[in-house]
Amino acid sequence: MERSVNYGGNDLNLEATELRLGLPGSDEHEKQSSPGVRTSNKRASPEVAEESTSLSNSNVSDARNGDQDSAPPAKAQVVGWPPIRSYRRNNFQQKKTEADGAGMYVKVSMDGAPYLRKVDLKVYKSYPELLMALENMFKLTIGEYSEREGYNGSEFAPTYEDKDGDWMLVGDVPWDMFISTCKRLRIMKGSEARGLGCL
Amino acid sequence: MYFPSKKKNAVYVSPIKQDIHPIDFSLPTEPMNHKRKNPDPSPDSDEPTTQLSSPFPDEVLERVLSLLNSRKDRNSVSLVCKDWYDAERWSRTHVFIGNCYSVSPEILTRRFPNIRSVTLKGKPRFSDFDLVPPKWGAYVHSWLLVFATKYHFLEELRLKRMTVSDESLKFLALSFPNFKALSLLSCDGFSTDGLASITTHCKNLTELDIQENDIDDKSGKWLSCFPENFMSLEVLNFANLNSDVNFKALERLVSRCKSLKVLKVNENITFKQLHRLLVLAPDLRELGTGSLLQDLTPRQHSELKSAFNNCKNLNILSGFYEVTSIFLPVLYPACTNLTFLNLSYAALRSDELSNLLIHCPLLQRLWVLDSVEDEGLEAVGSNCPLLEELRVFPASDPFEDEILHGVTETGFLAVSYGCKKLHYVLYFCRQMTNAAVATIVQNCPDFTHFRLCIMNPRQPDYQTDEPMDEAFGAVVKTCTKLRRLAVSGLLTDLAFEYIGKYAKNLETLSVAFAGSSDRGMECVLKGCPKLRKLEIRDCPFGNAALLSSFRKYESMRSLWMSGCKVTMDGCRFLAQEMPRLNVEVISECGNDGCQADKLYVYRSVAGPRKDAPPFVLTL
């Protein structure tokens, strides 16, 4: 037999401590009456989520929230979601880079060259190998990479266009990440190249 | 109450009250000093046997009861009367403990003196998804210390989600001369050095099964530690381990162990090496391959195919960590008798899966990645009429990549049309509709386990934009045998009303990002009489829900709530009202009004645990 527990008064005062979204003084129950209104399906407030997921910086963005901007926000990482064991999760990365069994050919352009070339990124295991191949292909010297100076000290700087369409300096990110985001390569030369190194 | 038994000076522990549901950890829920409701038969052993005792000698009763294997049956038997309780406890050789903190090793060994095999589960299941901080507990060592004296002849130990140290493994290897089988699933805290202790010292080892553990993989030397005259191994699974083992040592081991039935190698074993192993062990029942890469010459192709052809007993295939298309045909001859095919680490395309499945007419269980897409699942429906279990895992991280591929309701539907015996499904998909689920359960009304994960949290029916309430309503209404349910998608309290109203056999429920109010959880607690495990994350359930049926938690194994709206004072109230529950909270702040970030409630006869880390508050 369940005792009815008094929630109204003395001990718990749940109402006062209840965390909910919405302006103070607004109606307590945001009932979901139609599919268009999603507000009542919010999880506990953002502060709580940050506390409870202290292991990561996750913050679920409810892409269907009517309150937010019309463009659905990019999906944010949620700790432990989807519910797959970490053992399986570790297999994700591998699958991505193997997706194209036929090789990962990207165009390489060099400033001033009459035509473009293509290289298969899969053939190389690291940056030095790639850069050496480019040096051979275009008969030039690219020089040493340093995090601070880029490729300063050389006439040329290897850059690439990533998935977002931005032009990035080759060498900043880990190799595996590079080959999965690189869309094309461009070897910049002259003052433009040196300019990059000064950033 | 304690009753000395005439023959063995055993301690009598009162059995559970009749109104508590049969439990799976086979131990009474009451602490030992709790009075029973019903009058006892006389404890005085000099009195003549009354009509309550059994009419035949204890030894016969024990003999009969020793034939019982099901733990549910044994629980029931132990409730009949004192004699049966005693006979059962003396004849039990295997014990299953679903929550290592529900009982202490002392209580366990006191009740069951003759145990040879122990299965222990530790952390809450959500620890698999990084929701439980490290160093939470579930240490096996304290159990081993007691077992070393009380169960000196222990033969088997199966651990899941426990913390196991190298020291524990060494202690295990040295303390039990008859030790035969070790299985570690999703455990952590140990390294390959610990495994080396086992392989070095356990002379009678028949099983070494290392699966999905968080292990410090230092080297493969452990394999070389098996003595040269060691030949009892029947099961070896080291697929979890990444470091290279000495292949020659493995080869010698396999050729010596004539009873080897299960061999699952790691991804460093090449196809050439696999070939040699198959030639040495053609009687394998279960095989886990390594990597199947590199080029195959026609001769190698036919040799490998022939080796597989000789494996007439192969029922289970797994592994496939790296596999290219050309290798798949060599498996075809081995697929004839296959009942379980685990391709969940191989990102196969639909055509590759399709071609493989044509050769697997007897398949009962299939695990795949969603790289096979709906088309691949159509092939499942067409080729596997005996299929009972299907699991489809995501091939890539849905937050890193756009979910452009993967599976949808179409694939699941196709399987349900072709596989009428389907009763277990785990399905990760990017979209689903209420109508599809309703049709699926019409086709397959015998579901016992229905675990659907629509990967985008709170996603509605993509065709109607409505919540997925009706889908799960259809599941619980139609599938009367349902024991396990995992829900997802946009869900209101209505879904939970359905669950409470119809899911009368439900034992395990997993909920995430669902529900509209406390009512949802209340309906489930009030409505599901057989509920044993309830795990909830990121739902708007608060103290009112938590406390609505708090007595029920004593009939359950455990409750997990994280990211919900329960507060510390609600939890304290629960702890106060139910002293036989352990109420543990992980929270940033301990004040009454604060959110209880992670709540774990479980019944226990052992009282609050003594090894809780500082971040776990026991209320």
Side-chain angles (χ1 to χ4, degrees):
Chain A
M1 308 309 132
E2 307 301 345
R3 241 179 45 203
S4 65
V5 184
N6 177 20
Y7 300 121
N10 3 21
D11 311 333
L12 300 181
N13 200 4
L14 294 169
E15 216 176 297
T17 59
E18 185 191 22
L19 290 175
R20 54 189 174 86
L21 295 163
L23 298 169
S26 64
D27 189 61
E28 219 179 278
H29 293 291
E30 302 166 27
K31 294 249 184 301
Q32 166 139 348
S33 49
S34 75
V37 177
R38 308 246 185 268
T39 49
S40 58
N41 283 308
K42 283 194 170 72
R43 56 176 169 74
S45 68
E47 304 93 74
V48 174
E50 266 148 18
E51 281 174 1
S52 66
T53 55
S54 51
L55 295 173
S56 96
N57 55 357
S58 78
N59 215 330
V60 177
S61 62
D62 189 343
R64 304 219 148 241
N65 192 328
D67 289 346
Q68 293 182 357
D69 299 338
S70 50
K75 283 178 281 199
Q77 285 272 10
V78 180
V79 172
W81 191 263
I84 309 161
R85 288 193 188 151
S86 49
Y87 194 65
R88 286 197 183 283
R89 224 175 257 284
N90 292 339
N91 274 291
F92 281 162
Q93 279 304 106
Q94 294 162 4
K95 300 310 164 208
K96 256 199 318 198
T97 54
E98 280 160 31
D100 190 358
M104 212 182 274
Y105 282 94
V106 296
K107 291 183 190 171
V108 190
S109 60
M110 184 170 97
D111 295 348
Y115 47 81
L116 278 59
R117 304 294 304 269
K118 264 204 164 169
V119 288
D120 180 2
L121 291 179
K122 280 207 155 173
V123 166
Y124 310 105
K125 300 274 175 296
S126 65
Y127 285 118
E129 281 183 40
L130 171 65
L131 295 176
M132 194 151 61
L134 292 176
E135 286 177 336
N136 284 339
M137 195 181 259
F138 293 97
K139 313 275 182 288
L140 46 79
T141 318
I142 291 174
E144 289 277 337
Y145 166 80
S146 78
E147 207 179 328
R148 219 153 167 264
E149 311 266 305
Y151 291 90
N152 231 4
S154 150
E155 270 252 285
F156 301 97
T159 64
Y160 68 100
E161 185 183 29
D162 71 358
K163 271 184 186 161
D164 300 325
D166 298 318
W167 284 96
M168 318 286 293
L169 186 68
V170 169
D172 287 335
V173 302
W175 175 256
D176 286 314
M177 196 187 292
F178 165 71
I179 58 174
S180 68
T181 72
C182 172
K183 290 275 158 292
R184 56 186 297 165
L185 287 161
R186 176 183 161 205
I187 302 181
M188 284 186 179
K189 96 169 183 181
S191 53
E192 221 181 320
R194 280 191 286 279
L196 267 179
C198 294
L199 286 169
Chain B
M1 296 164 183
Y2 298 83
F3 300 98
S5 154
K6 176 180 180 181
K7 54 181 163 43
K8 285 154 188 157
N9 290 320
V11 164
Y12 176 69
V13 176
S14 58
I16 31 186
K17 289 192 287 202
Q18 294 308 306
D19 61 355
I20 292 182
H21 301 285
I23 50 180
D24 62 18
F25 67 80
S26 73
L27 288 171
T29 56
E30 302 171 347
M32 297 207 287
N33 57 1
H34 189 100
K35 281 183 165 32
R36 281 191 305 156
K37 258 190 188 167
N38 306 317
D40 298 326
S42 167
D44 186 348
S45 52
D46 286 335
E47 272 192 16
T49 54
T50 67
Q51 62 266 41
L52 289 175
S53 336
S54 59
F56 28 81
D58 295 329
E59 288 76 16
V60 174
L61 184 58
E62 266 182 53
R63 189 68 215 277
V64 169
L65 294 184
S66 69
L67 299 174
L68 278 181
N69 288 323
S70 145
R71 54 182 196 257
K72 284 197 168 76
D73 287 345
R74 281 187 163 270
N75 286 351
S76 307
V77 155
S78 69
L79 295 175
V80 169
C81 67
K82 180 180 162 251
D83 281 350
W84 281 49
Y85 177 90
D86 277 334
E88 195 279 312
R89 59 183 274 265
W90 282 95
S91 66
R92 192 187 289 235
T93 55
H94 167 69
V95 73
F96 169 91
I97 297 164
N99 174 5
C100 64
Y101 288 119
S102 63
V103 67
S104 72
E106 290 80 15
I107 295 174
L108 175 72
T109 54
R110 225 182 344 242
R111 177 170 170 185
F112 297 114
N114 287 327
I115 296 297
R116 301 286 156 127
S117 163
V118 176
T119 302
L120 257 179
K121 291 187 176 181
K123 297 179 213 168
R125 196 178 76 94
F126 276 1
S127 71
D128 284 351
F129 318 128
D130 301 329
L131 290 179
V132 174
K135 305 216 190 325
W136 178 87
Y139 303 106
V140 77
H141 203 76
S142 54
W143 293 85
L144 294 178
L145 290 174
V146 175
F147 290 167
T149 47
K150 303 288 186 187
Y151 295 157
H152 186 63
F153 297 109
L154 188 70
E155 293 175 6
E156 295 182 6
L157 188 64
R158 295 176 199 287
L159 305 178
K160 186 170 182 181
R161 294 193 200 98
M162 299 284 297
T163 298
V164 181
S165 65
D166 285 344
E167 194 202 329
S168 299
L169 289 173
K170 187 162 183 191
F171 183 78
L172 172 66
L174 295 173
S175 310
F176 303 97
N178 272 12
F179 194 72
K180 293 201 170 97
L182 178 65
S183 166
L184 300 174
L185 174 56
S186 295
C187 296
D188 69 319
F190 63 105
S191 78
T192 42
D193 290 346
L195 294 182
S197 306
I198 300 287
T199 55
T200 307
H201 299 292
C202 297
K203 306 271 179 270
N204 298 311
L205 201 68
T206 58
E207 177 176 340
L208 184 61
D209 182 15
I210 312 294
Q211 276 191 65
E212 296 186 11
N213 300 291
D214 186 6
I215 181 175
D216 181 9
D217 199 342
K218 294 178 180 174
S219 89
K221 291 207 197 93
W222 57 272
L223 185 87
S224 308
C225 292
F226 281 115
E228 283 300 321
N229 61 353
F230 170 81
M231 23 196 222
S232 49
L233 208 59
E234 295 168 25
V235 174
L236 178 63
N237 177 358
F238 64 97
N240 193 182
L241 303 171
N242 290 325
S243 44
D244 274 311
V245 297
N246 180 322
F247 182 70
K248 289 213 160 37
L250 177 60
E251 240 186 329
R252 286 200 300 275
L253 180 69
V254 170
S255 70
R256 285 201 306 273
C257 297
K258 305 289 182 207
S259 307
L260 195 69
K261 288 279 165 284
V262 175
L263 178 64
K264 297 185 184 178
V265 300
N266 67 14
E267 56 189 343
N268 297 332
I269 300 292
T270 65
F271 79 84
K272 287 185 196 147
Q273 293 171 327
L274 184 69
H275 177 236
R276 285 162 63 166
L277 295 174
L278 286 177
V279 166
L280 289 171
D283 290 335
L284 284 178
R285 249 185 18 226
E286 293 183 36
L287 172 70
T289 70
S291 298
L292 301 173
L293 290 178
Q294 299 136 340
D295 289 321
L296 265 184
T297 67
R299 185 164 148 249
Q300 286 169 330
H301 193 284
S302 71
E303 275 180 354
L304 197 54
K305 194 162 186 173
S306 159
F308 271 107
N309 195 28
N310 282 337
C311 295
K312 305 289 183 203
N313 295 331
L314 214 51
N315 293 134
I316 298 179
L317 260 182
S318 62
F320 303 104
Y321 293 99
E322 314 258 354
V323 59
T324 49
S325 238
I326 43 168
F327 279 93
L328 296 174
V330 313
L331 303 171
Y332 296 167
C335 291
T336 333
N337 294 322
L338 224 50
T339 57
F340 179 20
L341 180 57
N342 181 354
L343 296 167
S344 63
Y345 295 99
L348 294 189
R349 295 187 314 259
S350 54
D351 55 308
E352 290 169 331
L353 178 66
S354 188
N355 292 333
L356 186 52
L357 289 180
I358 291 170
H359 298 89
C360 308
L362 300 181
L363 209 58
Q364 292 170 12
R365 300 170 66 197
L366 176 64
W367 294 16
V368 291
L369 289 177
D370 65 2
S371 55
V372 304
E373 298 187 1
D374 291 328
E375 236 181 88
L377 295 181
E378 283 165 18
V380 174
S382 311
N383 291 301
C384 306
L386 301 181
L387 198 71
E388 296 179 25
E389 174 180 329
L390 174 67
R391 301 195 195 199
V392 182
F393 296 95
S396 57
D397 191 337
F399 290 104
E400 290 272 329
D401 305 329
E402 289 290 312
I403 312 177
L404 293 175
H405 306 290
V407 294
T408 71
E409 76 280 7
T410 309
F412 199 170
L413 269 166
V415 174
S416 75
Y417 280 116
C419 307
K420 297 299 185 188
K421 293 179 152 216
L422 195 65
H423 69 86
Y424 190 124
V425 91
L426 169 61
Y427 199 77
F428 286 86
C429 59
R430 56 184 166 96
Q431 66 190 41
M432 189 52 62
T433 67
N434 288 307
V437 176
T439 309
I440 286 162
V441 294
Q442 287 286 356
N443 294 340
C444 304
D446 295 327
F447 273 112
T448 55
H449 298 67
F450 193 93
R451 302 165 65 188
L452 178 62
C453 181
I454 303 166
M455 287 194 278
N456 207 2
R458 302 196 193 90
Q459 182 170 300
D461 178 324
Y462 83 96
Q463 271 174 358
T464 65
D465 233 19
E466 284 172 358
M468 295 298 296
D469 297 334
E470 294 306 319
F472 293 103
V475 172
V476 293
K477 282 177 205 165
T478 316
C479 306
T480 53
K481 300 179 199 163
L482 195 71
R483 296 201 311 263
R484 180 169 183 181
L485 180 65
V487 300
S488 59
L490 181 66
L491 295 173
T492 70
D493 289 340
L494 181 58
F496 299 101
E497 283 175 31
Y498 286 141
I499 293 172
K501 188 169 176 194
Y502 294 103
K504 294 307 176 188
N505 284 317
L506 192 65
E507 297 177 13
T508 305
L509 179 62
S510 309
V511 186
F513 306 106
S516 339
S517 75
D518 286 326
R519 179 169 164 68
M521 186 173 163
E522 285 170 16
C523 286
V524 170
L525 290 174
K526 287 197 168 64
C528 298
K530 296 197 181 174
L531 196 64
R532 290 187 302 118
K533 285 178 282 185
L534 181 56
E535 43 186 31
I536 302 173
R537 65 165 292 181
D538 298 286
C539 296
F541 305 140
N543 294 335
L546 174 70
L547 300 171
S548 61
S549 308
F550 56 80
R551 284 189 206 291
K552 189 182 178 70
Y553 302 134
E554 232 180 58
S555 70
M556 291 168 52
R557 185 189 293 180
S558 65
L559 166 72
W560 169 278
M561 287 179 80
S562 61
C564 296
K565 285 171 145 185
V566 291
T567 63
M568 293 301 289
D569 44 2
C571 300
R572 288 205 171 93
F573 186 84
L574 177 63
Q576 216 176 295
E577 290 299 307
M578 305 292 290
R580 287 198 305 251
L581 294 178
N582 281 355
V583 178
E584 297 179 6
V585 174
I586 298 172
S587 179
E588 295 280 301
C589 115
N591 300 329
D592 270 356
C594 281
Q595 215 80 351
D597 301 323
K598 294 174 205 222
L599 170 67
Y600 185 46
V601 179
Y602 57 92
R603 64 182 177 185
S604 176
V605 294
R609 58 177 173 125
K610 302 182 182 66
D611 60 4
F615 57 82
V616 172
L617 303 167
T618 304
L619 303 178

